[in-house]
Amino acid sequence: MPYYLVTQTSLMEGADEVEAARKVLTKLKSDGAVGFTVKYDEENSQHVTVANVPASEVAQPAARESLPSPEQMQEDNMLQASAVNQAHTGVSKPRRLSVRSVTLGLSLFAAGVAAGMVIMALVDRTPG
């Protein structure tokens, strides 16, 4: 499973760093949705908006309830994942080159260089 760098940036006025951080935390808790920047690597970053569900609304299992089955846990994860704005989750993974494609590319390049050298040699030999 890959790792992502997830950041949320807010510009907030405050008397000091702690007050500004507390204001941002309060704002994040009260907003209906929160925007993040998600980076896979330096070239691949995406802006993602996630629905903000307050902790009080998240169903907590009662002390007497048994642990949920793996199927129930997977279903719950799917429901939580549906809270993400699907239009903004297209973080693309970097494309890896296979040995075959690199070899083919280098062969084509070498053939082009050789053909160019032959053409240049023929042009230089013409009387003129």
Side-chain angles (χ1 to χ4, degrees), residues 38-104:
V38 181
K39 282 186 154 188
Y40 180 75
D41 57 20
E42 289 301 318
E43 293 88 29
N44 298 306
S45 66
Q46 200 71 3
H47 295 285
V48 178
T49 301
V50 180
N52 190 2
V53 180
S56 61
E57 293 180 18
V58 176
Q60 298 293 329
R64 294 183 184 166
E65 288 182 19
S66 63
L67 293 174
S69 68
E71 293 83 18
Q72 288 173 329
M73 290 174 60
Q74 185 176 14
E75 186 176 311
D76 290 344
N77 289 340
M78 294 295 283
L79 290 173
Q80 290 174 358
S82 68
V84 175
N85 183 351
Q86 295 297 324
H88 298 291
T89 59
V91 176
S92 61
K93 295 181 181 178
R95 189 169 178 188
R96 308 252 182 216
L97 295 175
S98 68
V99 174
R100 182 178 176 191
S101 63
V102 171
T103 304
L104 178 63

Side-chain angles (χ1 to χ4, degrees), residues 4-22:
Y4 296 92
L5 175 63
V6 180
T7 57
Q8 190 284 325
T9 305
S10 297
L11 179 61
M12 184 63 65
E13 183 180 12
D16 59 11
E17 295 88 353
V18 175
E19 182 185 346
R22 283 189 182 139

